[in-house]
Amino acid sequence: MMKSPARDTLPTHDVLNQPPVRGDTDLWLSDPVLQDAARTAGARALELVAYGKTLGTEETRELGRDANRHPPELRLFDPGGRRLDEVRFHPAYHQMMQISQSAGYAALAWDGQPGGHATHAAMVYLAGQVEPGHCCPMTMTYAAIPALAANEHIASLWQPKLMARHYDPSEEPIGQKTSATLGMAMTEKQGGSDIRANTTVAARDGDHWRLRGHKWFCSAPMSDGFLTLAQAPGGLTCFLVPRWLERERNTIHLMRLKDKLGNKSNASSEIEYHDALAYQLGEEGAGVRTILEMVHHTRLDTAMAPAGLMRAALSEAHHWVEHRSAFQRRLIDQPLMQAVLSDLVLDWEGAVTLGMRVAQAFDGQTPEDKAFARIGVALAKFLNNKRCPVVVVEAMEILGGMGYVEDTPLPLIYREAPLNSIWEGSGNVICLDILRTLAREPLAAEVLEAELDTVRGTDRRYDTALTAHRSRWPGLPPEAEARWYAERTALLLTASQLLRHAPGAVADGFVATRLSGDGGRIPGSVAGLDTDALLARLG
């Protein structure tokens, strides 16, 4: 149905110098950076064309806003006082889940077709631009699928439901569901990231186990099951805890929903296990090794999601400056604004290019691919998430006061910007993991160095920066310098990808400002960038 335009002639003034409503925006066709990176990584364009078009409609974007305006509600008891332990969502949330699950967000990486992980990573990037909260249960579902292989019986029952390309929100046992999602519950109050300090206890009960204890963070508590850790007699062990049993609810008590800064549409909770039934995954005592398979894959999503947030923020800023004038000139035509936006483009394009290169390695089958995926995803997660809040804040400032108002998407994006750096390993944890990986896996160090050497001789400034990096740290750095080392390594790795695959203006600008020190620390403190070429990357 055709909408009548809003009135711009009001009793006291005419509405002038305001950007038009954006309307439908094809998130794939309008993004040359994603198109280039996806093609290089071997992603499936047909899947992304359809998904990007659907997500970019005004109707879908409004669903995303509704899902955040009306956050989930915890329903602990029914009217008679019987325990429910359920989470109720606004219909818009379920519609977002249906759109993304049908597109294959959680499933297509495991369907045996080429480019699955690269396509999935691009979907993470696209979905996060519209509604990041619903990505959490799908990301964990995607990441849990390979971890279930540790138990053949569990895998045969659960994996087909997790890979179904539709969404079934019904409250039923797994055998009665047409599709399913999985959550994760690892951290506890006393340990946080130190999961070996967990106190939840597992006791054998026939062919299964019973868990008793608490979990400080349970992501997506409405999922059909959870991967979790508990102390068995043989040590810390990984378990699958179904939410529903054949004839009753499992004894998983939802204690409260977290009142988070952002990510409002997604329920995060504290839970208790009261002798909850669970099934063992992997060897007893090998819980960390088993669940790390899931953590490794969630890391890919936490590396790509900030790139999507940067894209969403810059799209809003670009739309604003193209249609807003100040001091008798369009904002987009003013040199200082061009410098700021161009500088931000370098962060965004670097994040997309590095993230998709890592996703390509996830699709690889060789030992070298797997080793690069292990080290590359940690470096991408660290750098991309540290740049994301900076880019989002600058984009918000470009809109001025309107960027701080909920009428625009910027406040939602701003609240989301720190999340992926905190979730699944904060910055320090990731940096220490980088050092452990390089120390324990010689192949990871070898493939990283080879990747950095691929473009030697292409740009003198890059060569100088790489030589200085290796001279500064001929071996692994001391722990206190881990962040500095991770930042420089990730910047060099990003530059190596841009020198190979990005337009000259992008690669040249990144090397000049990020490696050669030809600029300040505040976005826009640059000179000599090809601003026309960089702004053209915004589509």
Side-chain angles (χ1 to χ4, degrees), residues 405-428:
V405 174
E406 297 286 351
D407 289 347
T408 75
L410 268 299
L412 185 152
I413 300 168
Y414 175 76
R415 289 190 293 269
E416 194 75 17
L419 174 63
N420 290 284
S421 189
I422 296 169
W423 190 55
E424 196 288 289
S426 58
N428 283 0

Side-chain angles (χ1 to χ4, degrees), residues 193-212:
S193 297
D194 183 8
I195 56 179
R196 295 186 185 277
N198 284 6
T199 61
T200 296
V201 174
R204 174 73 74 175
D205 184 9
D207 65 349
H208 53 267
W209 297 75
R210 297 284 177 177
L211 306 189
R212 176 168 285 268

Side-chain angles (χ1 to χ4, degrees), residues 392-411:
V392 171
V393 166
E394 290 291 344
M396 180 180 284
E397 187 174 320
I398 285 170
L399 270 68
M402 281 305 300
Y404 204 67
V405 174
E406 297 286 351
D407 289 347
T408 75
L410 268 299

Side-chain angles (χ1 to χ4, degrees), residues 202-226:
R204 174 73 74 175
D205 184 9
D207 65 349
H208 53 267
W209 297 75
R210 297 284 177 177
L211 306 189
R212 176 168 285 268
H214 84 285
K215 294 296 175 182
W216 188 227
F217 274 92
C218 173
S219 300
M222 67 294 176
S223 299
D224 297 289
F226 310 97

Side-chain angles (χ1 to χ4, degrees), residues 210-355:
R210 297 284 177 177
L211 306 189
R212 176 168 285 268
H214 84 285
K215 294 296 175 182
W216 188 227
F217 274 92
C218 173
S219 300
M222 67 294 176
S223 299
D224 297 289
F226 310 97
L227 263 62
T228 195
L229 295 173
Q231 299 287 356
L236 192 64
T237 304
C238 184
F239 297 93
L240 171 65
V241 185
R243 193 156 66 94
W244 300 92
L245 308 180
E246 286 303 318
R247 294 182 177 84
E248 60 184 350
R249 299 163 188 262
N250 207 355
T251 48
I252 306 167
H253 291 185
L254 306 187
M255 307 309 292
R256 63 169 173 165
L257 298 185
K258 298 287 191 181
D259 187 7
K260 298 171 294 184
L261 168 68
N263 205 244
K264 293 290 189 179
S265 71
N266 174 44
S268 301
S269 66
E270 299 170 33
I271 67 171
E272 289 182 354
Y273 295 131
H274 292 263
D275 297 325
L277 183 144
Y279 299 100
Q280 182 177 330
L281 293 176
E283 298 175 9
E284 190 173 340
V288 174
R289 185 170 70 245
T290 302
I291 209 165
L292 278 180
E293 181 69 25
M294 181 179 186
V295 172
H296 175 57
H297 287 87
T298 62
R299 241 175 226 186
L300 177 60
D301 291 27
T302 58
M304 281 305 299
L309 295 174
M310 288 188 241
R311 168 62 178 173
L314 290 176
S315 292
E316 293 296 324
H318 190 225
H319 180 71
W320 181 267
V321 299
E322 281 195 317
H323 296 93
R324 179 85 166 166
S325 297
F327 311 111
Q328 291 78 52
R329 287 188 298 172
R330 286 194 314 160
L331 292 177
I332 190 64
D333 296 328
Q334 301 190 25
L336 186 53
M337 182 61 74
Q338 291 174 347
V340 172
L341 266 177
S342 296
D343 202 10
L344 300 178
V345 165
L346 294 174
D347 282 323
W348 159 58
E349 182 148 3
V352 176
T353 304
L354 179 58

